[in-house]
Amino acid sequence: VPVTRYNIAWESDKSKKFRNPDVPDGKKLKDVFESLGAVRPRDWRINPWELDTERESNNGFQNEDLIVWMRAAALPNFRKLYRRVDHDNEMNIENFDQRFNSSLPVKGVEYRLSIDYRFRVQQFKGTKSVIISTTSLLGGRNPFLGIAYVVVGCICFVMGIIFLFIHLRYGRSTQEMLNINPRTPYD
């Protein structure tokens, strides 16, 4: 199953929050990082300017894996997107199995993942797991928010119709509203 490391970060994070320093003409990102005194974090195996050897624009602070990893989670139990299935290029792959065309997982197929242990979690009693998931029309694994939006929207629509009916049936005309003065009786 072909997966891609691109387009996994939020567009707003890529364009506004995580930006590389300006690289002058004739210099490389490595030169700029070193001139600014940037130091590689202790547990990192490679430097920030070497995060993606295939695509130069995916290095430094604009590396999508780094952006996803650095985004703060709102709750203690969270999920981070690692890769997504690359449906755009799956037909370009030699020996592509057509069973993966419609959906995942495919019954009767054994999946193998190769995982490197690069971030220690024992210090804070953390755990790691792999989840293969899909998104639906209402979002991710928890449809509550999507259902809540649809329900609230329907309630607002019905209330709008009710108020429109009340206004048309019992409301005053514009001319009547202009003729109101302090001595106008309430009726």
Side-chain angles (χ1 to χ4, degrees):
V1 179
V3 294
T4 182
R5 70 173 70 177
Y6 306 113
N7 298 324
I8 61 172
W10 294 4
E11 194 59 42
S12 60
D13 283 349
K14 291 191 289 186
S15 62
K16 296 189 175 33
K17 193 173 184 181
F18 294 90
R19 301 294 304 166
N20 283 329
D22 291 328
V23 180
D25 290 336
K27 288 198 166 198
K28 294 190 172 195
L29 188 60
K30 174 185 177 181
D31 301 330
V32 175
F33 270 103
E34 288 176 344
S35 68
L36 293 172
V39 178
R40 180 180 64 185
R42 181 181 47 137
D43 288 335
W44 284 27
R45 296 181 184 180
I46 55 177
N47 292 306
W49 57 85
E50 299 170 332
L51 292 174
D52 189 351
T53 57
E54 296 173 15
R55 191 184 285 186
E56 186 67 29
S57 63
N58 195 34
N59 272 320
F61 299 136
Q62 291 182 295
N63 179 272
E64 295 200 38
D65 286 324
L66 177 69
I67 292 171
V68 170
W69 178 61
M70 291 297 291
R71 175 164 268 291
L75 300 170
N77 294 328
F78 57 88
R79 294 179 178 186
K80 301 252 182 182
L81 180 61
Y82 175 65
R83 297 286 183 262
R84 62 179 191 81
V85 177
D86 189 10
H87 290 294
D88 297 334
N89 296 317
E90 59 191 11
M91 293 304 172
N92 298 338
I93 294 176
E94 192 176 319
N95 299 326
F96 176 72
D97 193 339
Q98 295 298 323
R99 293 181 293 176
F100 298 120
N101 231 356
S102 58
S103 68
L104 289 174
V106 176
K107 292 186 182 206
V109 174
E110 181 179 305
Y111 295 91
R112 291 183 187 204
L113 296 173
S114 175
I115 300 173
D116 290 333
Y117 187 67
R118 295 186 181 182
F119 186 73
R120 297 179 293 221
V121 294
Q122 292 98 354
Q123 305 167 28
F124 53 89
K125 295 186 175 78
T127 60
K128 293 181 180 184
S129 56
V130 175
I131 299 168
I132 298 176
S133 176
T134 62
T135 57
S136 68
L137 181 65
L138 299 177
R141 68 182 169 108
N142 188 353
F144 171 76
L145 193 57
I147 292 171
Y149 285 152
V150 171
V151 168
V152 169
C154 290
I155 290 171
C156 289
F157 180 75
V158 168
M159 293 300 289
I161 297 294
I162 290 170
F163 288 137
L164 178 65
F165 174 74
I166 291 171
H167 173 70
L168 293 176
R169 178 74 174 101
Y170 301 106
R172 295 178 185 236
S173 70
T174 307
Q175 189 63 36
E176 288 176 322
M177 297 301 286
L178 291 174
N179 293 332
I180 292 178
N181 61 41
R183 295 179 188 206
T184 305
Y186 294 105
D187 55 333

